[in-house]
């Protein structure tokens, strides 16, 4: 639905669009749209174009949101990431080498350490409309934040998704509960949300709009090459913010956590959705003992979105499943180990002296002088012996 707005006159000043007071149809109004950048200001955290939701970023977002909500001159808010909205949680916080408690990243009882779950509730509870301006990617925790906003405006080339199953987890900040709630089609909406979550695939904007996940798409052309159309998307998000300011009490109908997947009297819809989830788990997912622990947990969490009476109860199921996977799943630890190993392999120092990973002696050993480097080859078959011979010819010491 596109809502008529009565007055709109914007000029950018220090992150806010200051509406000049105008009289239209006998109504005096002043609109101020605050644009909040997901990227922390310089000096408050490392800058990363993917905008991972690190501790510094989460705290920056929370304080910025709180200031905008408290400011009586601000009438609406646009959440903006720049080149990318956000690629999700800072996964280094889930590694054994991370210096941050992973519980602080997803859910926290410390008022001074904001989690992604805390931010989602903060967005949803805002009395002022909040528009997610999605450019680049919105993945994992990034999409979970966008789902907690009142509206989602996207670049036509953007991609969204919840890829947590690929590292042995499930969405842990409301993704399994909010995504089915914003999808159209009741039973078919649940099936679509389930497919997206258990596959971890990325979704294009046309598909996302068809099911109701995004509200508007901004298409760009050759004239937008300077910034890839990002400024054009931001301007459209501001217009939606001005529309949303006119909703008043009707804004409450855009709060995702207050929606139900099915109406209370729609027993047939719940039966169909339950059958869809059960069919996925029985026929389309790998068995739990064969690497399917995360995807089965994801399906159980999605079922909770319509089987539990309240959003809070569904979130409790999601949280319990998430923490069980993070703390107890050997499959998940293996997948995350592989993820970090692949990243480490891309950062190894080169012989030219460029610095790579710090403190990873194994990764550095082949770059040591050949007189001190020692290569171990496991397996003495045709391939193993060939590898060993190649290293010997190159001047390395080899243990076969």
């Amino acid at each position: 639905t596109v809502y008529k707005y009565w007055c709109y006159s914007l000029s950018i000043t220090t992150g806010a669009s200051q509406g000049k007071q105008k009289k239209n149809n006998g109504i005096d109004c002043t609109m101020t749209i605050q644009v909040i950048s997901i990227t922390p200001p310089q000096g408050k955290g490392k800058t990363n174009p993917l905008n991972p939701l690190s501790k510094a970023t989460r705290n920056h977002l929370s304080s910025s949101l709180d200031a905008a909500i408290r400011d009586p001159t601000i009438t609406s808010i646009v959440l903006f990431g720049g080149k990318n909205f956000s690629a999700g949680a800072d996964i280094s916080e889930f590694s054994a080498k991370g210096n941050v408690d992973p519980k602080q990243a997803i859910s926290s009882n410390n008022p001074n350490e904001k989690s992604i779950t805390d931010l989602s509730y903060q967005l949803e509870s805002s009395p002022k409309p909040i528009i997610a301006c999605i450019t680049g990617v919105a993945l994992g925790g990034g999409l979970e934040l966008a789902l907690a906003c009142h509206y989602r405006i996207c670049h036509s080339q953007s991609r969204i998704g919840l890829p947590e199953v690929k590292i042995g987890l499930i969405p842990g900040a409301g993704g399994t509960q909010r995504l089915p709630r914003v999808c159209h089609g009741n039973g078919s909406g649940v099936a679509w949300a389930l497919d997206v979550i258990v596959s971890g695939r990325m979704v294009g904007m046309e598909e996302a709009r068809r099911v109701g996940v995004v509200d508007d798409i901004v298409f760009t052309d050759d004239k937008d090459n300077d910034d890839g159309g990002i400024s054009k998307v931001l301007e459209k998000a501001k217009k939606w913010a001005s529309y949303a300011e006119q909703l008043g009490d009707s804004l409450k109908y855009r709060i995702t956590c207050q929606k139900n997947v099915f109406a209370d009297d729609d027993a047939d819809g719940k039966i169909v959705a339950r059958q869809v989830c059960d069919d996925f788990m029985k026929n389309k997912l790998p068995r739990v003992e064969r690497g399917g622990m995360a995807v089965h947990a994801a399906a159980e969490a999605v079922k909770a979105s319509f089987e539990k009476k309240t959003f809070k109860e569904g979130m409790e199921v999601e949280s319990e499943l998430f923490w069980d996977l993070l703390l107890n799943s050997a499959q998940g630890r293996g997948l995350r180990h592989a993820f970090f190993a692949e990243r480490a392999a891309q950062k190894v120092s080169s012989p030219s002296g460029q610095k790579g990973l710090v403190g990873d002696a194994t990764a550095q050993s082949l770059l040591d002088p050949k007189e001190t480097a020692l290569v171990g080859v496991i397996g003495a078959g045709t391939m193993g012996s060939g590898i060993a011979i190649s290293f010997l010819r190159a001047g390395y010491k080899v243990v076969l």
Side-chain angles (χ1 to χ4, degrees):
T1 303
V2 177
Y3 297 92
K4 180 180 178 181
Y5 62 106
W6 295 320
C7 65
Y8 182 73
S9 178
L10 298 177
S11 59
I12 306 299
T13 57
T14 63
S17 299
Q18 303 289 346
K20 298 178 181 179
Q21 192 171 44
K22 299 179 70 176
K23 180 173 286 188
N24 194 4
N25 295 333
I27 300 173
D28 290 322
C29 58
T30 301
M31 295 183 179
T32 306
I33 302 171
Q34 177 71 47
V35 177
I36 295 179
S37 173
I38 294 176
T39 306
Q42 290 186 349
K44 292 189 177 181
K46 294 182 180 179
T47 300
N48 185 323
L50 292 176
N51 288 333
L53 299 172
S54 63
K55 175 182 175 181
T57 301
R58 297 192 304 271
N59 289 339
H60 151 70
L61 276 176
S62 180
S63 60
S64 299
L65 283 167
D66 185 62
I69 291 170
R70 290 175 179 272
D71 189 339
T73 66
I74 301 295
T75 52
S76 59
I77 300 167
V78 173
L79 194 60
F80 176 62
K83 186 176 181 180
N84 290 285
F85 187 76
S86 173
D90 184 351
I91 194 174
S92 65
E93 296 183 0
F94 301 129
S95 74
K97 296 180 180 180
N99 58 4
V100 180
D101 183 351
K103 292 186 177 182
Q104 301 294 337
I106 300 299
S107 60
S108 172
N109 293 321
N110 185 344
N112 297 319
E113 301 293 341
K114 297 299 180 180
S115 67
I116 302 175
T117 301
D118 295 331
L119 288 173
S120 297
Y121 285 129
Q122 191 174 1
L123 290 165
E124 282 185 322
S125 64
S126 169
K128 302 173 182 180
I130 301 180
I131 286 70
C133 178
I134 299 178
T135 52
V137 296
L139 302 175
L143 179 57
E144 288 175 304
L145 289 186
L147 291 172
C149 295
H150 299 101
Y151 294 93
R152 289 160 290 280
I153 312 304
C154 309
H155 191 291
S156 60
Q157 299 301 314
S158 294
R159 295 291 183 270
I160 62 174
L162 294 168
E164 286 85 351
V165 293
K166 295 184 177 181
I167 56 171
L169 298 172
I170 66 172
T176 66
Q177 304 304 300
R178 290 187 176 91
L179 189 59
R181 282 172 163 81
V182 301
C183 291
H184 296 157
N186 294 334
S188 61
V190 170
W192 184 87
L194 178 62
D195 172 69
V196 169
I197 293 171
V198 300
S199 67
R201 66 184 178 92
M202 290 202 288
V203 178
M205 293 301 95
E206 290 282 10
E207 180 184 356
R209 181 166 62 175
R210 283 198 300 270
V211 297
V213 176
V214 302
D215 299 288
D216 200 359
I217 301 174
V218 178
F219 294 89
T220 59
D221 51 38
D222 295 339
K223 297 178 181 179
D224 301 308
N225 286 337
D226 289 344
D227 65 354
I230 292 175
S231 59
K232 195 173 180 179
V233 183
L234 181 57
E235 286 305 312
K236 178 58 72 74
K238 292 174 186 175
K239 288 187 177 181
W240 274 80
S242 67
Y243 302 155
E245 289 173 358
Q246 311 305 319
L247 292 179
D249 291 340
S250 297
L251 187 66
K252 63 185 178 183
Y253 297 112
R254 298 292 307 186
I255 300 175
T256 307
C257 69
Q258 293 185 5
K259 299 179 180 179
N260 292 324
V261 179
F262 298 99
D264 293 336
D265 58 353
D266 189 3
D268 291 341
K270 293 180 181 179
I271 292 173
V272 171
R274 189 177 298 112
Q275 290 174 341
V276 168
C277 292
D278 290 342
D279 178 64
F280 251 89
M281 296 172 74
K282 183 178 180 180
N283 301 316
K284 299 181 180 180
L285 300 181
R287 289 182 295 177
V288 171
E289 67 274 14
R290 298 297 298 272
M293 188 173 290
V295 290
H296 279 267
E300 289 290 351
V302 171
K303 284 177 66 176
S305 70
F306 58 86
E307 288 190 334
K308 296 298 181 181
K309 293 183 178 180
T310 65
F311 179 83
K312 181 180 179 182
E313 291 176 353
M315 283 294 294
E316 289 172 352
V317 172
E318 179 189 271
S319 179
E320 181 179 353
L321 291 167
F322 175 88
W323 288 113
D324 182 56
L325 289 171
L326 179 63
L327 301 177
N328 303 318
S329 170
Q331 292 177 11
R333 286 196 294 273
L335 288 169
R336 290 189 292 280
H337 172 82
F339 175 85
F340 285 112
E342 289 175 359
R343 293 178 66 183
Q346 298 172 2
K347 297 181 180 179
V348 176
S349 298
S350 67
S352 62
Q354 295 177 336
K355 292 184 178 180
L357 283 180
V358 177
D360 193 335
T362 303
Q364 300 291 332
S365 61
L366 290 180
L367 303 177
D368 292 341
K370 294 179 180 180
E371 295 76 16
T372 59
L374 180 63
V375 178
V377 180
I378 300 175
T382 302
M383 182 176 292
S385 59
I387 293 172
I389 291 171
S390 296
F391 274 108
L392 286 170
R393 286 175 174 172
Y396 290 93
K397 296 178 181 179
V398 179
V399 175
L400 181 60

